[in-house]
Amino acid sequence: MAQANSEPRAPLSRELLLRAAVAIADADGLEAVTMRRVGEAVGAEAMSLYHHVANKGDLLDGLVDLVMAEIDERVERAAVPGDTWKQAMRRRILSAREVMLRHPWAPRLFETRPTMSLAVVRYHDRLVGLMRAGGFSYDLAHHALHALGSRALGFSQELFDPAASASPASERMLRELADQVPHLTGMMAEIAHDDPAGTIGWCDDQAEFEFALDLLLDGLDRRR
């Protein structure tokens, strides 16, 4: 009589479902995360998942919380006692970016959730705390959060759709309009973002991200 060699599955839980969803998104993108696909990953019928997540929206909200927990853990490990406000802020934001680079689908998830997660609110509260400890008024801290925007969480919102802007059709259009937009054409011919491991979007690579972040932090420090 043949013996089953499969290990017993872990009991269903919200965390198990969320981690399965993260693995699916990491492998195949956010669009691949469905209740059926998550059910298949954990070896359960899709209907049984609703005992742990109310619906797909609840599942996606849970993914935000899971990513934020990963960010908080990475930030805590990277913290250096005695940092100035600017060093601590920079370290915190670049730690968040490390997590976003591991989950390149996460920025779009954060941008599309209808309500802000409490974990995201607490993260920004800590940023304000850093600035207050560094001598910022609440007014300047408020301006700083607006200036940082999505960079506070480690990614840059793109002006254009990265996929569309980098398409062959878009590149062909620029070549055809070279005499009308010579400066843009010249810039596009010269710049190159060739570090896939450090890129989230078309121009959101590590060098561009750190350039903009340092520019903002230096300016805020002078205002302080």
Side-chain angles (χ1 to χ4, degrees):
M1 183 175 178
Q3 292 184 345
N5 55 11
S6 60
E7 296 182 1
R9 290 193 176 95
L12 284 186
S13 66
R14 183 178 177 86
E15 182 175 358
L16 180 69
L17 301 184
L18 294 177
R19 294 200 177 280
V22 166
I24 292 168
D26 285 345
D28 300 319
L30 193 60
E31 297 81 0
V33 177
T34 64
M35 298 299 280
R36 176 178 294 181
R37 182 81 183 272
V38 172
E40 290 172 354
V42 298
E45 294 293 331
M47 289 304 297
S48 64
L49 308 187
Y50 292 102
H51 295 293
H52 305 281
V53 291
N55 47 45
K56 185 178 178 181
D58 186 29
L59 179 73
L60 295 178
D61 288 340
L63 291 187
V64 172
D65 291 338
L66 203 63
V67 171
M68 288 306 305
E70 193 174 335
I71 287 174
D72 288 339
E73 181 183 352
R74 181 68 190 88
V75 166
E76 187 174 340
R77 290 202 313 268
V80 174
D83 268 355
T84 65
W85 80 269
K86 188 166 69 170
Q87 290 169 330
M89 180 83 84
R90 190 179 195 276
R91 200 183 302 278
R92 172 176 285 270
I93 290 174
L94 292 181
S95 294
R97 181 170 177 81
E98 288 181 25
V99 175
M100 291 294 175
L101 287 169
R102 285 199 293 271
H103 308 299
W105 47 268
R108 188 158 58 85
L109 173 67
F110 278 56
E111 292 171 346
T112 55
R113 299 319 300 145
T115 57
M116 188 176 288
S117 158
L118 179 58
V120 174
V121 174
R122 285 173 173 161
Y123 175 87
H124 284 83
D125 180 75
R126 295 185 187 103
L127 291 183
V128 174
L130 284 176
M131 289 186 280
R132 288 288 288 170
F136 280 60
S137 66
Y138 278 127
D139 183 60
L140 184 55
H142 173 245
H143 286 310
L145 289 183
H146 275 291
L148 287 166
S150 66
R151 286 189 186 87
L153 282 166
F155 66 96
S156 299
Q157 289 176 313
E158 296 288 352
L159 178 60
F160 303 108
D161 176 10
S165 300
S167 70
S170 296
E171 293 174 0
R172 185 170 60 253
M173 181 189 71
L174 277 178
R175 288 196 299 271
E176 292 171 352
L177 296 177
D179 58 333
Q180 298 181 45
V181 286
H183 302 297
L184 190 59
T185 304
M187 182 186 72
M188 294 298 296
E190 184 172 323
I191 64 171
H193 300 301
D194 54 1
D195 179 17
T199 301
I200 295 177
W202 180 41
C203 274
D204 182 15
D205 74 348
Q206 192 70 20
E208 300 297 348
F209 184 88
E210 292 192 30
F211 176 86
L213 178 62
D214 289 338
L215 203 64
L216 286 164
L217 294 181
D218 288 346
L220 290 168
D221 198 38
R222 286 194 296 272
R223 284 295 184 102
R224 181 179 65 96

